[in-house]
């Protein structure tokens, strides 16, 4: 039987696999963060986990959030809620329909908060999160864009996303905030919330257009993955390794059928899009980061097998 | 030159035209409400108008809010904001993307508030609306479903919309609320917020499935229209007749080009749907209540001509 550390390291290696870009410098730097993030949540009594997701693609047909991020949110939300840890999913108006559709597909209800695209709307939500009955203790961003060096959020080729993006990064790093939660960021491209933790030379040289798009929002634990969703798969599995008493509850819905259900809800009800390229718009389809659903399901099962072998 | 009363009565007659159903009993009962609603807003110093809209059609391809309501919201929001009266548009997560897309297409910014589908989310918004810097003074519902006699919102053929509908009617009629605003409802079918003002015998006998779907939420002024959007066109025009000093400002964007822009945003970015029938699902298209856009533009211009002849 593996030690917890060995199992989590194996999971970290699986989710950090190269897809198209070489992200090895980033994953190398981030090694150990998956374990730290899992421990941070599992060791906190009365945790309440916020999950921020939704990456809006203006140049898709129709304009819509991309599929990546939504499935990761769903697995984390389903597992945590089933383990008795309350979850609040957070997004903005442009992504709200798709995120709601996926939340609707969850096996148990979780909270949903939707802000408009204004700063005041985000700051009002933050105040609520700080002062509600059960304040947020951990805040996770999955595939959520962060401002770059010019203070504006950008797509990977440089498009300014300000109009269609709420400044939800202010929940993670606003200097004026009395931030009261542990922050976790998951990304695969370099422009997502959390990537601001990377040393400047790695992030700017490691990604195309890095000088413009590289994220400036740091987090306490950065999880770099080949596909952002995989970071969420990995965190769920790492938590299950870290806390055996919650393992079965956390992983009850971590299977291919549920993954298919979540992606179907995102695509069919939410019109979530994928495979957006400069020369051809993204469209609603059963893929994530241009990888067909089946391959994500296989990776999910590979991660699941690591937890199972750890448990034996 | 017409008196104000004559002009508003002419506008009321235009918007109350029969489309498919015979709504004459309802329009007859509601006569005079258009003038009262216009006066209520125009005579209030420091008004702040809330507009609730979004009618989600689960059985459409894709599931999406219908086009009706969105254009009416847009014209009211554009005109009021341009006349210096702040506007807050309110919807829920399932309708948020389409409503946001239309708000984005407005010539000037207005506030947008999005609730999830839970009662607690609606009650939290109400508290904010009551206590914010500039509390809401008037709240308008355009084509927004109300609970029927069983306490649940229904589509016209009886489908229970509870899962995909926030109880925004609680902003209009919750008995526990210290309601601090004047309420206006616009509808065309009998199941919308505001129709609860009608005498039971009119609403239940006047519409198919009335015993189940008839709205129970009343308002201070009920505007019954052939198409709900027309109610908003009518209110904007009636306000312009009522307050000549604001006429040009209110009507600056009340034209066919802008109407086309609003509907395009709803359909293209928001995937708003229309022409949903029991035997064939609604789809995104440039029509409202199964009437092609061009006919709505013609009606808008007819209303506009009444105001112009009044002004001469």
């Amino acid at each position: 039987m593996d030690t917890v550390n060995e199992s989590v390291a194996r999971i970290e290696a699986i989710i950090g696999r190269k897809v198209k870009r070489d992200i090895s410098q980033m994953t190398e730097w981030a090694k150990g963060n998956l374990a730290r993030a899992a421990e941070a949540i599992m060791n906190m009594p009365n945790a309440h986990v916020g999950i921020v997701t939704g990456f809006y693609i203006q140049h898709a047909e129709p304009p819509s959030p991309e599929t990546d991020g939504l499935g990761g949110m769903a697995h984390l939300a389903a597992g945590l809620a089933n383990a008795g840890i309350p979850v609040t999913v957070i997004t903005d108006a442009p992504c709200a329909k798709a995120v709601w559709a996926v939340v609707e597909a969850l096996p148990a209800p979780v909270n949903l908060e939707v802000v408009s695209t204004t700063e005041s709307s985000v700051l009002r939500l933050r105040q609520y999160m700080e002062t509600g009955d059960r304040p947020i203790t951990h805040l996770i961003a999955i595939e959520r864009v962060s401002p770059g060096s010019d203070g504006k959020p950008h797509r990977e080729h440089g498009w300014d996303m300000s109009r269609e993006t709420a400044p939800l990064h202010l929940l993670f790093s606003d200097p004026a905030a009395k931030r009261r939660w542990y922050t976790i960021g998951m990304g695969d491209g370099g422009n997502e919330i959390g990537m601001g933790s990377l040393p400047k030379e790695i992030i700017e040289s490691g990604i195309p257009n890095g000088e413009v798009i590289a994220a400036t929002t740091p987090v306490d634990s950065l999880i770099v993955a080949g596909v952002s969703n995989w970071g969420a798969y990995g965190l769920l599995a790492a938590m299950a390794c870290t806390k055996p008493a919650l393992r079965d509850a956390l992983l009850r819905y971590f299977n291919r059928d549920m993954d298919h259900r979540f992606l179907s809800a995102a695509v069919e009800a939410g019109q979530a899009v994928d495979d957006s390229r400069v020369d051809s718009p993204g469209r609603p389809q059963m893929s994530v980061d241009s990888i067909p659903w089946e391959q994500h399901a296989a990776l999910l099962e590979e991660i699941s097998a690591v937890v199972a072998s750890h448990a034996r």
Side-chain angles (χ1 to χ4, degrees), chain A:
Chain A
M1 178 176 139
D2 290 356
T3 66
V4 172
N5 285 348
E6 284 167 356
S7 295
V8 174
R10 285 175 62 195
I11 295 166
E12 197 166 44
I14 293 172
I15 67 171
R17 263 178 213 158
K18 175 180 169 177
V19 174
K20 278 173 215 143
R21 293 176 289 263
D22 177 8
I23 56 169
S24 58
Q25 273 195 301
M26 299 199 279
T27 52
E28 188 60 35
W29 184 91
K31 254 187 195 166
N33 275 277
L34 183 64
R36 277 196 290 280
E39 287 160 12
I41 298 175
M42 289 295 96
N43 293 338
M44 170 73 79
N46 298 316
H48 176 179
V49 176
I51 307 177
V52 176
T53 195
F55 197 114
Y56 193 79
I57 309 294
Q58 181 80 42
H59 296 115
E61 289 182 2
S64 226
E66 62 169 305
T67 50
D68 195 15
L70 303 178
M73 170 275 283
H75 280 291
L76 273 177
L80 288 167
N82 192 53
I85 298 171
V87 172
T88 295
V89 175
I90 298 164
T91 194
D92 53 15
C95 298
K97 185 188 181 191
V99 171
W100 167 77
V102 175
V103 165
E104 260 293 291
L106 292 176
V110 303
N111 305 309
L112 173 64
E113 295 288 340
V114 182
V115 296
S116 76
T117 54
T118 64
E119 180 172 321
S120 64
S121 185
V122 174
L123 297 183
R124 187 146 53 89
L125 173 62
R126 191 181 67 198
Q127 190 177 33
Y128 174 72
M129 289 162 60
E130 285 170 348
T131 56
D133 293 343
R134 187 155 174 180
I136 295 279
T137 57
H138 299 75
L139 190 63
I140 304 172
I142 312 177
E143 185 68 5
R144 175 73 193 184
V145 71
S146 155
S149 56
D150 61 355
K152 295 175 179 173
H154 296 277
R155 280 199 60 202
E156 64 273 27
H157 48 69
W159 167 262
D160 176 1
M161 297 172 61
S162 302
R163 281 192 75 113
E164 60 267 24
T165 306
L168 285 168
H169 67 282
L170 295 176
L171 301 178
F172 290 79
S173 69
D174 185 38
K178 314 174 292 291
R179 182 166 64 72
R180 301 177 183 196
W181 38 73
Y182 186 96
T183 56
I184 299 167
M186 299 173 182
D188 55 28
N191 55 342
E192 302 93 348
I193 288 174
M195 291 290 193
S197 293
L198 287 168
K200 203 174 162 73
E201 58 276 16
I202 291 183
I203 187 168
E204 290 199 354
S205 66
I207 60 172
N209 305 311
E211 279 175 36
V212 177
I213 75 164
T216 55
T217 310
V219 288
D220 295 319
S221 287
L222 169 65
I223 299 172
V224 178
V227 176
S228 295
N229 267 353
W230 299 353
Y233 295 176
L235 179 58
L236 186 65
M239 289 191 292
C241 293
T242 303
K243 191 107 169 185
L246 291 183
R247 185 177 55 228
D248 291 350
L250 286 167
L251 298 184
R252 174 160 173 207
Y253 302 110
F254 190 57
N255 57 57
R256 66 160 49 221
D257 289 350
M258 204 54 76
D259 198 67
H260 193 271
R261 171 169 154 178
F262 297 149
L263 184 56
S264 298
V267 171
E268 289 164 20
Q271 290 88 60
V273 296
D274 190 39
D275 208 18
S276 170
R277 298 155 194 254
V278 171
D279 57 350
S280 89
R283 293 180 194 278
Q285 54 189 288
M286 290 294 286
S287 66
V288 180
D289 252 19
S290 306
I291 299 171
W293 168 74
E294 179 63 39
Q295 293 182 41
H296 295 280
L299 185 126
L300 183 156
E301 291 184 328
E302 195 179 341
I303 293 170
S304 195
V306 173
V307 186
S309 76
H310 170 73
R312 269 197 299 273

